[in-house]
Amino acid sequence: MSNGHFSLLAIVMVGLSYPMTSAAQQHPDDAYYPYAGREERPVRLQTDTTLFYRAIQGPADLYGISTDFTLPGVALARRGCGYASERTQFSGIDISYRYLGLMRLLGAEEQRIAGLQSSPAPFGGAVSTTQLHFPAGEPLQPYLVSVRFSDRNYRFGSRVAATRRLGHGWQLTAAADFRTGRDLHVEGVFTNALTAGVCLTRRWDKQGELSLVCIVPTSVRGTRLTTSEEAFQLTGDRLYNPAWGYQDGRVRNSRVRRETLPLAAAVWERQLTASTRLSASAGVEAGKSRYSMLGWYDARTPMPDNYRYLPSYTGDRATEQAWLTRDPRYTQIDWDELIRENRMAGGEAVYALEDRVERLWDATLHLSFTTEAERRLTLRYGAQLQLDDRRNYKQMRDLLEADYLTDIDQFLVDDDTYGTLLQNDLRHPDRKIRRGDRFAYDYSLTTRSAEVYLQADYRSDRFRGEVLLAVGSGAVSRRGHYEKELFPGSQSFGRSRVMRFSPYRLKFSGGWSFTPRHYVELSLLAAAEIPDAEDLFYQPLYNNRTLTDAKAGRTYGAELTYRLTGPTVNLQTSLFALLRLDGSQTLRYYDDMSYVYCDLAVTGIGIRSLGIETAAEIRLSDRWRLTLAASAGSYRYVRDPRVEVLSDVDNTPVDRGSASRMGGCRVGGAPAVTASAELSWFGRRGWGIHASAGYAAERYVEPMALRRTDRLAGQGGITREAFAAFTHQERLPDAFTLDASLFRSFWFERSRLTVALLLRNLLGDSDMVYNGYESLRVRRIRSGDATFYTPQATRYSYVPPRSFYVTVSCRF
């Protein structure tokens, strides 16, 4: 059980030869070269646009495309929504961001649709939807080889891709992406990753098409952790990483993510009749994801930035001096000391390195029919089945020279009441854990859903109307594979009660083309979605107890879009409003007010998003192009959710369900104001320059509902200052970055060689905060007989300073 929770900046490499999608915002440390897909000066076609009213009706996420690279590398929850609202689909199958780079290398094309605008995707996201497909035909340059060098996340990378016809209508494309090396800015951060994939296609003349895709990403990545501002100031390093330390004089990171998550997908399309086409797709994402962290058993925490180890708590000059001089015995994990303590323990581990393992099986079957009912009416209808099964357990990675660990609840060893109920697995008591063994917890969370939909798309020369209705049924359950002694029988072992939901989606879009260049569209949405399985259980690690009143999360939205397409300017502006209700969240933490570990459930979360997004692409001349984008919005919690806290050892209420003063708080990681600009020049003889600037303002830390309850803010905040400390939401400084890129392309008959240099954060601003979140913990301050409470310090992470990427690629 953890004392808190930590943010993780995942590391993912995306294509150097293709533009990147919104996954860049999700993983700000990604190394990528965003301009390779725009190395050549685009050719502007002159057409008779008066004949094409429908061309402007096609959806395009101009704001998202424009801001993928130009906004600063800070947390950016677009429209105040989480990243789950930005979905990527391959022929109706939801896929993860980790496959995007290889999908592009394999030749996939993409269409990006913003928000609620008209879309052929029946189950798109509320913020944006990216649809991937493989086009017909063979690329003009079927081979790619590239190498790259960077100072962030890795040192060296390479990519290869090849396409070849096999005969009888078959075509094979294979690609691989390799990265290795350590980060030059953040100690302990490194990447060793290889992603390989193949795409096999067969096409029959106008009769059918079969695509088989297999992608295998495997990676080992050292990560960094957030920490308090005190630790940053004491070390004088905004990129201070408490996750690593020295072992035998070598750097070792305790937080390492190891993943092997293959994706297999098959898509079959066939023309059934003159007016009806069938598309059937099936996809499976399976494998294991491991995340290591230190465990301590009836011992002090080994994490160096714990508040008890900082000078503000210890109050002694020696500790402060050790931090100021960057003594690694204080500022980093002392692996050698942990090993010494294990040696003195007589065989049983006091400290060990654990793996939190998630073994997933995510399968989707999507069946879709498209019928041209008449010249202007198109019907799309079908069904979708989904199975999301995730097994979670803890596995011993390194005993740190101890012999074994007894599989008991180490947090209850000194408990006078529950100290006799220690067994994590009652059916195998006092089991001795060796390296590679499972222990502590083992459970599965399963979500099943089935949905059917009907979508009608009507188009005339000027009008476009779309209506979508999707209904379904879903079920969520937990299965415990250990019987915990604290919760014997069905309380922890076997299947929990099944929670059933009825998701639905009702959407309307209507648009009018005033001219071939001016288009206005209004979209409305009402939807309900199945919550994340993790948020439906108080303690999914070893307890089958579910939320009393679990509800599907509801979303209501409206969006008004204006689109202009001209010979020199493309402009898109969207006014949007989203209301998300009945959200839920569960967390585990140590409660400093009651002195016990607790399970926290927050229900009835309501968030309102109001705002405007606008973007323009301006062709200043044949060689100069300017792209501008901006947004302004209000993203706030509009309800006071209910907070219920249960004791982790016996489910007794600690807080029976008080209201949290969340109403009016801002959504963390969602800047209220953003602006970006990019200027591009395509010169003669293959030269090109890009310069971009991004700005994000009115940013706030992630708020915690627990702090704003009467139990903490009311009882703990006995003074006006203390109450404000619990309820005030901290605003982060505005962020501004400047980037530049220079490239040169050389042509040799049918081949092209490109050399590029990308510089990020040219200003070298090391004080730019990526994001922050409030702590669940409370600090007790004793003064005589009185005890005062104040919230623990907010934890932050900062953006790396100036960094570079050098790429050399050849297409032939």
Side-chain angles (χ1 to χ4, degrees):
M1 198 179 309
S2 174
N3 289 8
H5 63 287
F6 300 92
S7 296
L8 172 64
L9 297 179
I11 308 168
V12 142
M13 179 68 191
V14 200
L16 297 175
S17 302
Y18 300 87
M20 183 176 176
T21 66
S22 59
Q25 304 297 342
Q26 193 170 6
H27 302 277
D29 283 344
D30 289 356
Y32 55 87
Y33 175 61
Y35 306 113
R38 293 175 276 172
E39 290 163 352
E40 300 179 40
R41 178 169 55 88
V43 178
R44 177 152 45 95
L45 301 178
Q46 300 293 337
T47 60
D48 185 1
T49 56
T50 59
L51 302 177
F52 305 103
Y53 286 101
R54 294 191 182 187
I56 198 174
Q57 297 175 1
D61 187 6
L62 188 56
Y63 174 85
I65 295 172
S66 302
T67 58
D68 273 347
F69 317 108
T70 53
L71 280 178
V74 297
L76 182 62
R78 185 176 172 186
R79 300 190 180 184
C81 299
Y83 295 112
S85 298
E86 301 184 45
R87 301 173 71 171
T88 301
Q89 298 178 340
F90 171 53
S91 297
I93 304 170
D94 284 320
I95 65 172
S96 169
Y97 65 88
R98 62 174 58 89
Y99 308 111
L100 284 175
L102 249 289
M103 290 291 285
R104 296 191 183 102
L105 269 182
L106 292 173
E109 294 183 353
E110 56 191 276
Q111 179 187 22
R112 187 162 175 173
I113 303 159
L116 310 181
Q117 298 175 38
S118 300
S119 167
F123 306 109
V127 172
S128 70
T129 304
T130 300
Q131 294 181 296
L132 301 172
H133 71 281
F134 289 99
E138 185 177 356
L140 296 177
Q141 296 172 314
Y143 302 102
L144 166 69
V145 177
S146 73
V147 295
R148 57 195 184 276
F149 305 90
S150 176
D151 60 345
R152 284 180 57 181
N153 300 318
Y154 66 96
R155 297 280 192 90
F156 171 78
S158 64
R159 291 191 138 202
V160 294
T163 300
R164 182 163 186 159
R165 290 193 177 276
L166 303 179
H168 303 287
W170 289 97
Q171 179 174 293
L172 174 67
T173 302
D177 180 5
F178 171 72
R179 290 155 289 155
T180 186
R182 67 182 184 90
D183 191 296
L184 293 183
H185 300 284
V186 185
E187 193 64 83
V189 173
F190 65 90
T191 298
N192 294 309
L194 173 64
T195 305
V198 295
C199 176
L200 185 63
T201 59
R202 169 73 189 274
R203 294 180 175 87
W204 293 266
D205 294 339
K206 298 183 180 180
Q207 295 300 315
E209 177 181 328
L210 174 66
S211 297
L212 304 174
V213 178
C214 181
I215 299 175
V216 182
T218 179
S219 64
V220 180
R221 296 170 291 163
T223 66
R224 64 169 171 160
L225 295 178
T226 60
T227 190
S228 63
E229 185 64 24
E230 181 182 3
F232 286 125
Q233 292 182 353
L234 288 169
T235 59
D237 181 9
R238 293 300 190 188
L239 303 180
Y240 164 67
N241 181 14
W244 68 274
Y246 289 109
Q247 181 177 344
D248 292 332
R250 301 180 62 183
V251 172
R252 184 178 185 181
N253 196 332
S254 65
R255 297 300 181 99
V256 177
R257 184 172 292 279
R258 298 169 173 86
E259 291 183 335
T260 302
L261 296 168
L263 168 71
V267 179
W268 166 251
E269 295 184 357
R270 182 173 179 82
Q271 194 72 32
L272 299 180
T273 67
S275 60
T276 300
R277 186 171 182 84
L278 165 67
S279 176
S281 56
V284 176
E285 179 183 352
K288 290 182 181 179
S289 175
R290 305 171 185 268
Y291 186 45
S292 66
M293 59 182 61
L294 279 168
W296 55 99
Y297 319 109
D298 198 22
R300 298 181 67 188
T301 172
M303 298 309 297
D305 63 333
N306 185 276
Y307 74 97
R308 293 177 180 270
Y309 301 158
L310 295 177
S312 62
Y313 184 88
T314 62
D316 66 287
R317 178 62 181 172
T319 301
E320 182 180 7
Q321 189 63 28
W323 273 86
L324 290 173
T325 57
R326 301 287 297 272
D327 187 337
R329 295 174 300 174
Y330 287 79
T331 62
Q332 307 301 151
I333 297 171
D334 193 343
W335 291 94
D336 295 329
E337 177 62 26
L338 304 184
I339 292 173
R340 282 193 292 269
E341 294 196 31
N342 274 352
R343 289 172 178 171
M344 293 186 295
E348 181 149 10
V350 178
Y351 295 97
L353 189 65
E354 312 166 346
D355 270 343
R356 308 292 175 91
V357 183
E358 182 181 57
R359 192 180 70 187
L360 62 88
W361 177 272
D362 191 353
T364 302
L365 177 62
H366 186 84
L367 191 66
S368 175
F369 297 88
T370 302
T371 299
E372 301 290 340
E374 57 158 301
R375 185 173 64 88
R376 297 183 175 182
L377 179 63
T378 301
L379 299 178
R380 300 182 182 91
Y381 47 97
Q384 179 169 279
L385 302 177
Q386 287 185 304
L387 170 64
D388 186 352
D389 185 79
R390 298 173 185 263
R391 185 162 182 171
N392 298 266
Y393 54 87
K394 190 182 290 188
Q395 191 171 25
M396 182 58 66
R397 170 157 292 274
D398 189 349
L399 283 164
L400 301 180
E401 299 192 15
D403 296 328
Y404 64 91
L405 174 71
T406 305
D407 190 13
I408 60 175
D409 193 331
Q410 302 286 342
F411 294 96
L412 297 178
V413 170
D414 298 325
D415 194 295
D416 295 334
T417 304
Y418 300 97
T420 59
L421 306 175
L422 299 178
Q423 300 301 323
N424 286 325
D425 185 2
L426 191 57
R427 304 191 177 200
H428 301 87
D430 295 322
R431 187 163 52 97
K432 304 303 182 186
I433 304 302
R434 316 288 180 180
R435 181 176 179 179
D437 291 342
R438 299 184 188 184
F439 70 106
Y441 62 84
D442 188 355
Y443 68 97
S444 298
L445 292 176
T446 304
T447 302
R448 300 179 179 87
S449 65
E451 295 177 272
V452 295
Y453 72 93
L454 172 63
Q455 185 175 9
D457 186 353
Y458 178 83
R459 289 196 182 194
S460 65
D461 287 340
R462 292 177 179 267
F463 175 75
R464 175 177 183 177
E466 178 184 280
V467 178
L468 167 68
L469 174 62
V471 295
S473 176
V476 179
S477 64
R478 176 190 182 274
R479 181 178 294 277
H481 303 289
Y482 284 175
E483 181 181 357
K484 191 171 179 66
E485 192 170 10
L486 277 175
F487 305 103
S490 60
Q491 295 182 75
S492 60
F493 186 77
R495 192 177 185 181
S496 70
R497 79 177 181 96
V498 179
M499 289 167 286
R500 302 191 182 278
F501 302 91
S502 298
Y504 65 86
R505 188 178 184 88
L506 178 61
K507 179 182 171 183
F508 165 79
S509 296
W512 182 264
S513 299
F514 293 95
T515 72
R517 294 179 178 175
H518 299 271
Y519 178 69
V520 173
E521 180 178 278
L522 174 66
S523 301
L524 304 174
L525 172 71
E529 295 184 346
I530 302 174
D532 289 340
E534 288 276 358
D535 290 330
L536 297 175
F537 294 86
Y538 282 96
Q539 177 51 286
L541 300 184
Y542 43 74
N543 197 333
N544 275 335
R545 179 163 181 169
T546 65
L547 298 187
T548 305
D549 186 21
K551 297 180 179 179
R554 293 177 293 153
T555 301
Y556 303 98
E559 183 172 350
L560 180 64
T561 299
Y562 167 74
R563 195 175 301 131
L564 165 67
T565 300
T568 59
V569 177
N570 288 339
L571 171 69
Q572 181 171 302
T573 299
S574 296
L575 295 170
F576 60 86
L578 289 172
L579 179 63
R580 293 174 287 147
L581 302 174
D582 296 332
S584 61
Q585 182 184 36
T586 58
L587 297 169
R588 273 59 63 184
Y589 74 105
Y590 182 79
D591 191 87
D592 297 281
M593 303 286 282
S594 61
Y595 299 89
V596 296
Y597 284 96
C598 290
D599 304 322
L600 163 71
V602 185
T603 57
I605 300 174
I607 298 176
R608 181 206 64 203
S609 300
L610 300 173
I612 180 173
E613 293 177 344
T614 185
E617 185 180 71
I618 306 170
R619 292 172 287 277
L620 302 174
S621 68
D622 287 344
R623 300 190 179 277
W624 289 92
R625 184 181 62 199
L626 176 64
T627 303
L628 303 173
S631 71
S634 173
Y635 317 116
R636 293 177 180 263
Y637 291 86
V638 292
R639 290 185 174 181
D640 290 341
R642 307 295 296 182
V643 175
E644 186 171 2
V645 181
L646 303 181
S647 170
D648 189 67
V649 295
D650 58 4
N651 283 345
T652 57
V654 176
D655 190 333
R656 294 183 178 273
S658 61
S660 172
R661 299 173 177 85
M662 288 283 287
C665 287
R666 279 82 164 180
V667 176
V673 177
T674 67
S676 68
E678 179 185 3
L679 183 63
S680 303
W681 172 73
F682 303 92
R684 298 182 184 274
R685 300 181 180 180
W687 286 99
I689 297 176
H690 301 275
S692 62
Y695 175 73
E698 293 192 42
R699 306 186 298 137
Y700 290 83
V701 300
E702 298 280 356
M704 294 295 171
L706 178 68
R707 290 171 52 154
R708 293 165 174 82
T709 61
D710 285 337
R711 181 168 163 269
L712 266 70
Q715 298 179 22
I718 58 177
T719 65
R720 179 177 299 178
E721 293 77 10
F723 182 82
F726 279 101
T727 58
H728 174 72
Q729 185 181 11
E730 179 186 351
R731 177 175 172 176
L732 296 174
D734 297 350
F736 176 80
T737 56
L738 182 65
D739 307 324
S741 173
L742 171 68
F743 67 84
R744 172 73 188 275
S745 294
F746 304 88
W747 287 268
F748 308 94
E749 296 182 355
R750 295 184 58 187
S751 63
R752 184 186 73 204
L753 176 69
T754 300
V755 181
L757 169 66
L758 170 64
L759 298 176
R760 301 284 289 175
N761 195 6
L762 278 173
L763 301 179
D765 185 1
S766 60
D767 292 330
M768 187 165 62
V769 180
Y770 169 75
N771 200 13
Y773 67 87
E774 297 174 348
S775 174
L776 287 168
R777 301 292 303 276
V778 174
R779 181 176 174 182
R780 297 186 297 269
I781 303 174
R782 300 188 183 276
S783 177
D785 295 333
T787 301
F788 301 93
Y789 297 92
T790 184
Q792 290 279 13
T794 299
R795 300 184 74 88
Y796 307 94
S797 61
Y798 284 82
V799 177
R802 188 181 299 109
S803 56
F804 71 87
Y805 305 92
V806 178
T807 67
V808 180
S809 61
C810 181
R811 286 193 171 275
F812 56 97

